[in-house]
Amino acid sequence: MSSSTTPPPPQGLTGKLREHMGDGLLRVRSGLAQALQVTVAAVGAFVFAERVLGHHGPIFAATAATIALGFSKGGVRYRRVLEVSIGCTLGILLAELVTHWIGRGVWQAAVVMLMSVLVAQFLNSATLFTTQMALQSVLVVMLPPPVDGMMTRSIDAMVGGLFALVLVYLVPTDPRRQPREELRNLTNELSDVLREAAEAVRQDDAQAAWHSLVRARKTQPIVDAVTDSLKSSHEIAVAAPLYRRHRSEVDDISRAVRYLDLVARNTRVLARRVASIIDHAALAPAAVDSISDCLDSMADVVNTVGNALAVAQPGARESYMRQARNELHAVAAQLHPDKMGIETMEGQTLVLLLRPMAVDLLEATGEEHEETLSYLPRLDGWDRL
């Protein structure tokens, strides 16, 4: 009953190298703004502490700024910058005070580090906060004492943290860019999963069905990446004057992501059901055609929603959303076993899984829940799903 598929030929060394270089160039391009931000903060903090405050070799100013800003795919978050800045400063301050009392050495370093970890855990549960406080404190003990006297390193750390906060506040990254990229990845993957499931149903191919299930299960990390990006985006859109005008767009993306998360979860259940049906049952020809066509249509809609959320122009975004809604209205109107020529329980199960997916996608385009339900045909003896 099931057909076999030939695996693609292995990629050669040249192809892998070309792919790696392409991915590297993409990372460089996407991280250029953040790299400049880190560089300006670190160098600026060092120069300020050296030229203005008169400190000799204020390396802790540069390190505090660099560590506070960090370099993360999801973008810089204000709370993270503040926590790391405070952690660096407190770690250095604690080490300077303790070494003033007990001196320097190996056992003194152990005491300082233990105290730093315990104090950090008492103040904050964040792992990064604890790590930075402990690291900075042990460096103070191990390095030679500063020529400018006690507390200068603590002041340098505060300068670095302040430079990091000023840079992330005045020159933030675009809060829409990272979520758009992650959303585009998510919708592309969901669309491909639905197309693979449609082809598996059409060809009665169990191997293709299980392959679509494996891909569907890998969509959750992409959803998590979008959610993490949006946390940073909300902070920037609320706090940064440069991007406050984009707060409503970030809110729209967040709303769409909540429903696309549900779509991803339903897609995993649907792919699992398709694989099981192909393995253990047979669908009538009419059911095969209608279900596979419906899955292809759903894939088109997911792709259109992705296009809408990825564009910057409001007019283009609304045009894509309107197109997605029109396509979904037509698909939703067919989601009834009788209209799709389905007579078996297995086929009816797939229809019942497609109905909430259509509702979630319609809500992702901005329609209200009650309105989305009106496009689904009533199921006699069933609640409307």
Side-chain angles (χ1 to χ4, degrees):
M1 179 173 67
S2 301
S3 62
S4 61
T5 58
T6 303
Q11 191 178 27
L13 180 59
T14 303
K16 289 182 178 179
L17 181 60
R18 187 182 299 112
E19 181 181 356
H20 180 74
M21 291 180 65
D23 292 341
L25 289 173
L26 286 175
R27 289 193 297 270
V28 169
R29 186 176 64 180
S30 62
L32 180 59
Q34 195 172 350
L36 290 173
Q37 192 180 56
V38 172
T39 302
V40 171
V43 175
F46 185 93
V47 171
F48 181 88
E50 184 181 51
R51 305 283 176 83
V52 178
L53 301 182
H55 294 176
H56 293 80
I59 189 63
F60 280 90
T63 57
T66 303
I67 296 170
L69 283 175
F71 207 91
S72 58
K73 187 177 180 181
V76 177
R77 295 191 60 192
Y78 291 99
R79 180 174 176 177
R80 175 186 175 278
V81 173
L82 184 60
E83 285 180 348
V84 175
S85 299
I86 294 174
C88 289
T89 304
L90 285 180
I92 295 170
L93 178 62
L94 178 63
E96 289 188 317
L97 291 174
V98 174
T99 54
H100 179 71
W101 293 328
I102 66 175
R104 298 172 182 273
V106 176
W107 72 268
Q108 289 92 337
V111 171
V112 168
M113 191 164 189
L114 178 61
M115 291 181 61
S116 297
V117 172
L118 295 177
V119 171
Q121 287 291 298
F122 175 78
L123 295 175
N124 194 309
S125 62
T127 303
L128 190 58
F129 180 87
T130 302
T131 302
Q132 292 308 322
M133 190 166 172
L135 176 62
Q136 299 301 320
S137 64
V138 77
L139 283 177
V140 170
V141 180
M142 293 299 186
L143 291 174
V147 298
D148 300 309
M150 186 179 173
M151 306 298 291
T152 55
R153 285 173 173 169
S154 301
I155 296 173
D156 290 342
M158 285 190 285
V159 169
L162 287 173
F163 265 76
L165 287 170
V166 169
L167 260 293
V168 79
Y169 182 77
L170 295 180
V171 193
T173 55
D174 189 335
R176 303 163 298 169
R177 181 181 60 82
Q178 191 67 36
R180 281 176 183 162
E181 293 177 2
E182 301 291 354
L183 269 172
R184 183 73 275 185
N185 293 337
L186 176 61
T187 54
N188 283 343
E189 194 64 17
L190 288 176
S191 179
D192 289 345
V193 168
L194 291 170
R195 292 191 198 283
E196 283 193 0
E199 191 62 21
V201 172
R202 191 175 287 114
Q203 300 297 328
D204 198 26
D205 188 341
Q207 184 175 346
W210 284 104
H211 186 266
S212 70
L213 174 60
V214 171
R215 290 189 67 174
R217 286 173 173 169
K218 293 180 180 179
T219 56
Q220 190 57 47
I222 308 177
V223 175
D224 295 338
V226 180
T227 304
D228 289 341
S229 297
L230 282 169
K231 290 177 181 177
S232 174
S233 298
H234 276 296
E235 291 183 357
I236 295 173
V238 170
L242 186 62
Y243 289 115
R244 280 177 189 163
R245 66 185 187 278
H246 298 310
R247 182 175 178 178
S248 61
E249 185 176 346
V250 174
D251 290 339
D252 290 341
I253 294 175
S254 298
R255 183 180 188 275
V257 167
R258 290 198 299 271
Y259 294 109
L260 287 174
D261 183 11
L262 297 176
V263 171
R265 296 173 190 273
N266 285 334
T267 300
R268 292 194 286 272
V269 177
L270 178 71
R272 173 68 179 85
R273 196 72 212 136
V274 167
S276 178
I277 289 173
I278 294 177
D279 269 343
H280 302 105
L283 296 172
V288 168
D289 291 339
S290 60
I291 290 174
S292 58
D293 289 345
C294 183
L295 288 171
D296 279 332
S297 298
M298 286 284 197
D300 291 337
V301 170
V302 170
N303 194 56
T304 304
V305 172
N307 290 336
L309 296 172
V311 298
Q313 299 79 10
R317 183 165 57 252
E318 180 52 36
S319 177
Y320 276 123
M321 285 298 191
R322 186 165 53 249
Q323 177 186 345
R325 284 192 290 267
N326 291 336
E327 293 173 356
L328 274 169
H329 294 164
V331 173
Q334 298 300 315
L335 291 178
H336 191 288
D338 294 342
K339 291 186 177 184
M340 300 177 70
I342 295 172
E343 299 177 355
T344 63
M345 181 181 66
E346 291 82 6
Q348 292 173 354
T349 302
L350 293 180
V351 175
L352 294 178
L353 290 173
L354 286 167
R355 287 167 67 92
M357 189 182 298
V359 170
D360 292 332
L361 281 171
L362 279 169
E363 292 191 69
T365 66
E367 288 196 351
E368 297 298 326
H369 183 70
E370 291 302 320
E371 184 180 2
T372 63
L373 294 178
S374 66
Y375 295 104
L376 293 172
R378 295 183 64 89
L379 295 175
D380 295 334
W382 297 75
D383 292 327
R384 293 198 298 171
L385 300 176

